[in-house]
Amino acid sequence: MSDTNLKSLALGTYTKLMRAAESATNRTSKVMTAAGLTISQFGVLEALYHKGPLCQRDIAAKILKSTGNITLVIDNLEKNGLVRRERDSEDRRFLTVHLTEAGTGLIAKVFADVEAAIVADLATLTAEEQETLGRLCKKLGLKGAA
Amino acid sequence: MSDTNLKSLALGTYTKLMRAAESATNRTSKVMTAAGLTISQFGVLEALYHKGPLCQRDIAAKILKSTGNITLVIDNLEKNGLVRRERDSEDRRFLTVHLTEAGTGLIAKVFADVEAAIVADLATLTAEEQETLGRLCKKLGLKGAA
DNA sequence: GGTGATTAGTTTAATATCAAACGATATGAT
DNA sequence: ATCATATCGTTTGATATTAAACTAATCACC
């Protein structure tokens, strides 16, 4: 294949990948905003829901955002009564973030809805196609980790 | 396949798709920020570069952002001397946005660099794999258009 | 024990982003 | 001609996001 064709193939593939990711994101984020959560807020609640109480640094690492950003997101979640901060008595630099009862109830429901949206979305592809897509995406994504 | 397995396959595929898109975005956005452009600014310049002068509404539609957002992005591009606004004499509601000479020079260079980054990135996959990935992504993305 | 480096979290300044309200302009129906 | 409606762009208020400067607390090493 010529360089020109390789280039246009790569650019086309990239565009399609981006569009697919964007359209999938659109559908899941609709579920989140319908529940009054931003994408980041959902990410924080989901991390706490599946990993238990975490300090802000760990939350930032989990959802790939800066610690400064997490400060604000937790502020807003705290205002809405979904999480609470607790100063660690061992090492007073740490704030451990806990889900409140309201937070647990909300994320349980919204997470299930988001999962359902994803499953419905991916149902466009057969199981075999999903496996292939996953394998190729993984190969591509791995490069980023390096 | 059981419902449980279908679900975990779909969720895993979704995660991999998101990670691949994110890692590809990270690499292209590095090129843009290195040139002093935000992703949105790049999007606006690229639209003008390939489509010629456009009104703000069309730019918003092209890069899938709100018109309110475009107002700010154009403000910043104008401050940096990369674009200029021109009031349409036919219909004075419209502002046509033009690339300046500096803007044209910058986007030509940055666009080429971004393309090169994408091509390098996608080179992780063979031509056949790229075609398969593109086909599956397109199938998935199309659902969003509906 | 004290000092220097490190770490956790906050704050600040800049940009992004949307939805909704708004102002100016144009169009259409009567 | 006039008034209602629609359209383009701006503004506003809220949240997101980062990088960088900063504070508070801890740790490591001598």
Side-chain angles (χ1 to χ4, degrees), chain A residues 38 40 66 76 91-92:
Chain A
T38 66
S40 291
S66 67
N76 289 325
D91 185 336
R92 298 186 43 73

Side-chain angles (χ1 to χ4, degrees), chain A residues 44-120:
Chain A
V44 170
L45 294 181
E46 195 259 323
L48 297 175
Y49 185 55
H50 286 115
K51 307 223 160 203
L54 294 172
C55 72
Q56 297 190 185
R57 198 200 171 314
D58 289 348
I59 295 172
K62 178 75 169 51
I63 70 172
L64 304 175
K65 296 291 153 65
S66 67
T67 63
N69 181 20
I70 293 302
T71 293
L72 179 68
V73 175
I74 304 280
D75 280 352
N76 289 325
L77 287 172
E78 204 172 32
K79 262 185 231 158
N80 296 335
L82 300 174
V83 303
R84 90 190 126 76
R85 288 175 161 108
E86 209 169 280
R87 183 68 68 178
D88 187 326
S89 53
E90 301 274 317
D91 185 336
R92 298 186 43 73
R93 286 174 303 183
F94 286 77
L95 283 173
T96 306
V97 183
H98 298 255
L99 283 175
T100 62
E101 208 169 309
T104 305
L106 182 62
I107 190 59
K109 162 92 176 84
V110 179
F111 185 72
D113 289 350
V114 167
E115 279 193 332
I118 292 170
V119 171

Side-chain angles (χ1 to χ4, degrees), chain B residues 7-138:
Chain B
K7 179 173 160 180
S8 90
L9 172 60
L11 296 179
T13 305
Y14 175 84
T15 303
K16 289 175 192 119
L17 172 67
M18 289 302 138
R19 295 227 173 105
E22 190 180 359
S23 98
T25 302
N26 283 345
R27 280 186 284 274
T28 54
S29 70
K30 249 179 221 160
V31 176
M32 298 172 197
T33 56
L37 293 175
T38 66
I39 296 175
S40 291
Q41 288 173 348
F42 174 85
V44 170
L45 294 181
E46 195 259 324
L48 297 175
Y49 186 54
H50 286 114
K51 307 223 159 202
L54 294 172
C55 72
Q56 297 190 186
R57 197 198 172 319
D58 289 347
I59 296 173
K62 177 74 169 52
I63 71 172
L64 303 174
K65 296 292 153 63
S66 67
T67 62
N69 181 20
I70 293 302
T71 292
L72 179 68
V73 176
I74 304 281
D75 280 352
N76 289 324
L77 287 172
E78 204 171 32
K79 262 184 232 159
N80 296 335
L82 300 174
V83 303
R84 92 190 125 77
R85 287 173 162 109
E86 209 169 281
R87 182 68 68 179
D88 187 327
S89 54
E90 301 275 317
D91 185 335
R92 298 185 44 73
R93 288 173 302 181
F94 287 78
L95 283 174
T96 305
V97 183
H98 297 254
L99 283 174
T100 62
E101 207 169 311
T104 304
L106 182 62
I107 189 59
K109 162 93 176 83
V110 178
F111 185 72
D113 289 350
V114 166
E115 278 194 333
I118 291 170
V119 171
D121 204 33
L122 269 286
T124 311
L125 303 181
T126 66
E128 196 186 346
E129 286 174 331
Q130 288 188 41
E131 270 158 20
T132 302
L133 177 61
R135 183 175 55 76
L136 297 176
C137 284
K138 188 169 184 181

